[in-house]
Amino acid sequence: MKLKDKVAIVTGAGGGYGEGIAHYFAEQGAKVVVADIRGDAAEKVAGDIGAAAVACTADVTSSESTKAMVQTALDAFGKLDILVNNAGTTHKNQSMLLVDEATFDKVYAVNVKSIYHAAIHAVPVLEKNGGGVIINIASTAGVRPRPGLTWYNGSKGAAIAITRSMAVELADRKIRVCGINPVMGETGLTGQFLPGDDTPETRAKIIAGIPLGRMSRPLDIAKACGFLASDEAEFITGVLLEVDGGRCI
């Protein structure tokens, strides 16, 4: 119960990594705001968790929606200790010249600007609470970029740099800021990341580049987040933990 009595918001928690993080945090004693732009998905995950969770329909690209999300935590549980900026999106794996401007803008709005909105509305609340933890879900794509995902790679590189800068700037407010760099995982976006069709053969090529021999799973990311969010990591800030089966070695 390493997160006992903590209150956390997890964005993009209606599925994939976010769903895994929300469930694991609740198992570790936290109260969780399950936030997702898909309200029905958020409701389902919160319902599966039970009394320790509340659902919130939230668009992380919107300042007002993000403000309401933070208020949901205060209204439901009275405080906020942990914020996990997990919501993310990508473009199809293809030539960078084929990604249209609207898709580019959406990738940066969800993957980068959302961190800005979250900071604007959550940092004052965390500071008033005496401190807290922000965890940004970035990607190995920001560390070892590969062709076909150039604009996505750049968005995650930005998330990495922002995480480190936030950690330095917010340290005197007792707010730790860390990040996770997952390798490609088994989520709803997997097909978008793959070069070509989502076939066993295509997946095998990806897995061949991961020394531990498999893609990441939501529980892998959840456990790493649980450690960084806990008091066990009280002297850790500004780190980007690669949960990648050795991919970035």
Side-chain angles (χ1 to χ4, degrees):
M1 302 289 281
K2 66 181 67 177
L3 300 179
K4 183 175 171 56
D5 299 326
K6 303 290 188 183
V7 174
I9 294 172
V10 182
T11 69
Y17 293 149
E19 180 178 2
I21 294 166
H23 275 279
Y24 184 75
F25 275 24
E27 289 168 7
Q28 294 301 315
K31 305 293 186 183
V32 184
V33 175
V34 178
D36 202 286
I37 195 169
R38 302 163 300 157
D40 55 344
E43 291 283 357
K44 182 181 185 306
V45 173
D48 290 344
I49 292 172
V54 61
C56 175
T57 303
D59 178 357
V60 296
T61 71
S62 161
S63 178
E64 284 304 308
S65 187
T66 303
K67 180 180 180 180
M69 177 183 74
V70 172
Q71 189 62 48
T72 295
L74 300 180
D75 292 344
F77 303 120
K79 62 171 184 169
L80 177 64
D81 302 288
I82 304 160
L83 169 64
V84 182
N85 289 313
N86 166 77
T89 192
T90 187
H91 52 80
K92 177 62 181 170
N93 189 316
Q94 61 185 342
S95 165
M96 65 183 191
L97 303 181
L98 295 178
V99 178
D100 62 79
E101 186 174 359
T103 301
F104 175 93
D105 288 344
K106 180 180 179 181
V107 168
Y108 275 77
V110 176
N111 294 357
V112 183
K113 195 172 184 180
S114 63
I115 302 175
Y116 163 79
H117 289 316
I120 293 296
H121 297 295
V123 166
V125 173
L126 293 171
E127 184 176 10
K128 185 177 180 181
N129 192 46
V133 184
I134 298 173
I135 299 175
N136 298 322
I137 307 300
S139 172
T140 56
V143 181
R144 292 194 66 190
R146 289 293 179 264
L149 292 168
T150 290
W151 309 122
Y152 171 80
N153 296 342
S155 74
K156 291 304 185 177
I160 289 169
I162 288 169
T163 297
R164 290 175 174 149
S165 189
M166 287 176 67
V168 174
E169 185 163 343
L170 298 178
D172 64 353
R173 306 185 199 193
K174 307 302 180 186
I175 298 172
R176 297 189 296 106
V177 186
C178 296
I180 303 289
N181 289 331
V183 74
M184 188 184 297
E186 299 167 359
T187 72
L189 292 176
T190 304
Q192 293 288 94
F193 289 122
L194 293 170
D197 295 332
D198 186 355
T199 66
E201 292 76 18
T202 304
R203 290 193 177 214
K205 290 178 182 178
I206 298 298
I207 292 170
I210 303 173
L212 287 184
R214 65 170 173 83
M215 293 185 182
S216 66
R217 297 168 182 157
L219 186 57
D220 298 322
I221 311 309
K223 288 180 177 179
C225 287
F227 167 68
L228 291 175
S230 75
D231 292 340
E232 293 175 356
E234 65 179 352
F235 200 57
I236 298 175
T237 195
V239 304
L240 277 295
L241 181 59
E242 288 153 15
V243 183
D244 67 349
R247 175 69 180 86
C248 289
I249 296 173

